[in-house]
Amino acid sequence: AGPSATPDPLAGCTWDVPRRLNVLLMGIDQRAADTETAFRSDTMIIVSIDPVRKSIGMLSIPRDLWVSIPGFQPNRITTANYIGDSSGYPGGGPALAVETVEQNFGVGIDRYLRVNFDVFERVVDLVAPNGVQVCPTQVIDDPDYPDAGYGTIAVRFEPGCQRLDAVRLLQYARTRATQGSDFDRAALQQLVIKALRDEVLTAGGVANFISQVPALWTELAGSFVTNFTLEELYGLATLLQQIPRENIHSGVINNLYTDMATTAQNEQVLTPRYDAIRFLMDQVFNPQEALSLGDLRERALAENATIVIYNNTDIVGLAGQARDWFQAQGVTIVNIGNMPEISGTPTIIRDYSGKLWTARYLAALMGLPDEVIQPAVDGLTGDDLMIVAGADMPQILQSTRQN
């Protein structure tokens, strides 16, 4: 008899449910040797998978977001898992974390997966024994990175593409030693997830990875908690390999969507700007084709925002020049002025009232990315939006005139 065919571990495995699947992915700061039984969630990401449109949206939730926790006092969202596990809540920490996300964000969660760092490192070792490529854009120097023994060590990453083993990749995904701190870390974690997916697809493919899942399922029992069945994960794997990278959309609830606040215990937290967060969720979970200027203008007109321009340079009359240019584009500027302290930094748009469509339209008119939009509570204006004209404004006006 001839050699028998190698069985296909994905044979008969499909994801047949056409409706959207929302998964709460959580990472906790736990090691196998820990004797504690309850942990805060170090990472929280809502992963929304659309089987029909073959798309995925990932939305990262900051740990310090101050939210309502069903049945308990308001607290940081990171504590929901801890409270659920330590209080004997039905379903434990994951169940309370799911209910907290559902109540605060108005999204139904179908499945959850909570993993610890041992799972992360073991999966990375399996998926990418030669490391995972990441491409830091700046030096990351963290002298106080928390080590496995609850002390600290120094870690550093140089800019440029490089392959990281499991231990280094975890450090890269967890460090907060950047200007954006927790917000930057959330964005890095999403990049790491995408890089891991790329490794699975290129290094032997999904079938190779899935063939080793049963052993991992047994080996890592106690290091993860999920309401997925093993069969569901097989089916989901077949779906995920059909989704092109360009259909994976990411978002972070960062300073654009939150405000700084102080609790009664004098602790710094983030309060949600729910209108802005709903806007972000729609962009991440239901992405549209790139909007034209006309589309953005239509949405901006519906917001009916009031807009001012302040000069942040020593160039006399710059705010007036910018006003004239914007008004030639059909944008009404209700006032101009000067910043109290001139810094000459690049142009930004300050959003005082969540008029994000208008802010995006103004940015697009100037040829600037959405990242120039910043929340503001400084009281410099009672209007909705402020264009803070920076040192680059003359060049912006010149280049757009030429276009």
Side-chain angles (χ1 to χ4, degrees):
S4 58
T6 302
D8 180 359
L10 293 182
C13 296
T14 58
W15 188 267
D16 297 323
V17 181
R19 68 179 181 86
R20 181 183 294 273
L21 176 74
N22 294 325
V23 181
L24 180 61
L25 180 62
M26 291 179 286
I28 57 173
D29 187 359
Q30 176 199 30
R31 297 286 183 171
D34 284 332
T35 57
E36 299 292 329
T37 57
F39 299 86
R40 290 174 171 81
S41 53
D42 196 63
T43 297
M44 293 185 81
I45 303 174
I46 303 172
V47 181
S48 187
I49 304 165
D50 188 334
V52 175
R53 296 169 65 183
K54 297 290 192 292
S55 68
I56 298 175
M58 293 191 294
L59 181 69
S60 292
I61 304 171
R63 299 184 305 171
D64 290 337
L65 198 69
W66 191 258
V67 297
S68 299
I69 298 181
F72 298 89
Q73 293 295 314
N75 210 324
R76 290 180 171 89
I77 199 166
T78 183
T79 64
N81 183 76
Y82 176 88
I83 293 170
D85 276 341
S86 60
S87 68
Y89 190 82
L96 185 57
V98 163
E99 290 187 32
T100 300
V101 167
E102 290 180 331
Q103 176 174 300
N104 286 273
F105 299 104
V107 58
I109 300 297
D110 305 295
R111 296 286 186 273
Y112 59 79
L113 173 62
R114 188 187 74 188
V115 302
N116 64 17
F117 297 149
D118 292 326
V119 172
F120 180 88
E121 291 183 0
R122 184 68 183 90
V123 169
V124 172
D125 283 337
L126 174 67
V127 170
N130 297 318
V132 174
Q133 178 170 285
V134 297
C135 299
T137 58
Q138 60 180 311
V139 173
I140 301 176
D141 190 3
D142 188 349
D144 300 309
Y145 179 85
D147 64 14
Y150 298 101
T152 60
I153 58 173
V155 299
R156 181 181 175 92
F157 300 92
E158 300 294 337
C161 293
Q162 54 203 274
R163 298 192 77 83
L164 303 179
D165 64 18
V167 172
R168 289 281 286 165
L169 189 66
L170 178 62
Q171 294 170 351
Y172 182 69
R174 290 194 68 210
T175 182
R176 292 192 288 172
T178 60
Q179 184 176 2
S181 188
D182 208 31
F183 300 142
D184 285 352
R185 186 177 76 149
L188 284 179
Q189 289 172 351
Q190 294 185 357
L191 290 174
V192 166
I193 290 172
K194 292 178 184 178
L196 276 170
R197 174 185 177 274
D198 291 344
E199 289 291 335
V200 169
L201 293 180
T202 57
V206 170
N208 177 60
F209 174 66
I210 287 296
S211 68
Q212 303 178 67
V213 166
L216 279 178
W217 190 272
T218 302
E219 173 191 338
L220 295 171
S223 293
F224 70 92
V225 179
T226 186
N227 57 352
F228 275 114
T229 67
L230 194 54
E231 290 72 22
E232 284 177 332
L233 289 176
Y234 285 160
L236 192 59
T238 64
L239 172 62
L240 295 181
Q241 69 179 345
Q242 300 168 22
I243 297 176
R245 201 176 202 276
E246 61 268 22
N247 285 4
I248 303 176
H249 307 278
S250 302
V252 176
I253 299 176
N254 57 23
N255 59 329
L256 276 176
Y257 310 98
T258 58
D259 293 311
M260 293 292 297
T262 304
T263 69
Q265 291 73 39
N266 205 35
E267 297 176 337
Q268 295 295 311
V269 296
L270 301 169
T271 56
R273 302 172 68 179
Y274 282 114
D275 286 344
I277 290 173
R278 280 190 287 271
F279 177 94
L280 175 64
M281 291 173 66
D282 192 51
Q283 295 299 297
V284 174
F285 297 155
N286 301 291
Q288 303 176 10
E289 298 297 323
L291 295 177
S292 67
L293 266 179
D295 292 329
L296 287 172
R297 176 178 171 79
E298 182 179 338
R299 289 163 169 76
L301 287 173
E303 290 184 335
N304 196 30
T306 56
I307 306 163
V308 299
I309 300 177
Y310 275 30
N311 187 355
N312 190 30
T313 75
D314 293 322
I315 303 171
V316 177
L318 182 61
Q321 296 173 36
R323 174 196 57 198
D324 295 343
W325 181 86
F326 273 104
Q327 297 198 152
Q329 313 302 313
V331 177
T332 299
I333 303 299
V334 300
N335 197 10
I336 61 173
N338 296 302
M339 292 296 286
E341 296 182 8
I342 303 300
S343 67
T345 51
T347 298
I348 61 171
I349 300 169
R350 292 191 173 184
D351 175 17
Y352 290 84
S353 58
K355 300 295 178 70
L356 285 169
W357 282 119
T358 307
R360 286 186 62 189
Y361 176 57
L362 296 175
L365 277 177
M366 293 186 285
L368 298 176
D370 290 346
E371 285 74 18
V372 303
I373 304 168
Q374 301 178 3
V377 290
D378 53 29
L380 287 179
T381 179
D383 293 289
D384 297 315
L385 294 163
M386 178 192 290
I387 300 168
V388 183
D392 57 341
M393 181 58 82
Q395 181 180 354
I396 290 171
L397 300 180
Q398 183 63 32
S399 62
T400 49
R401 286 192 187 102
Q402 292 173 350
N403 292 336

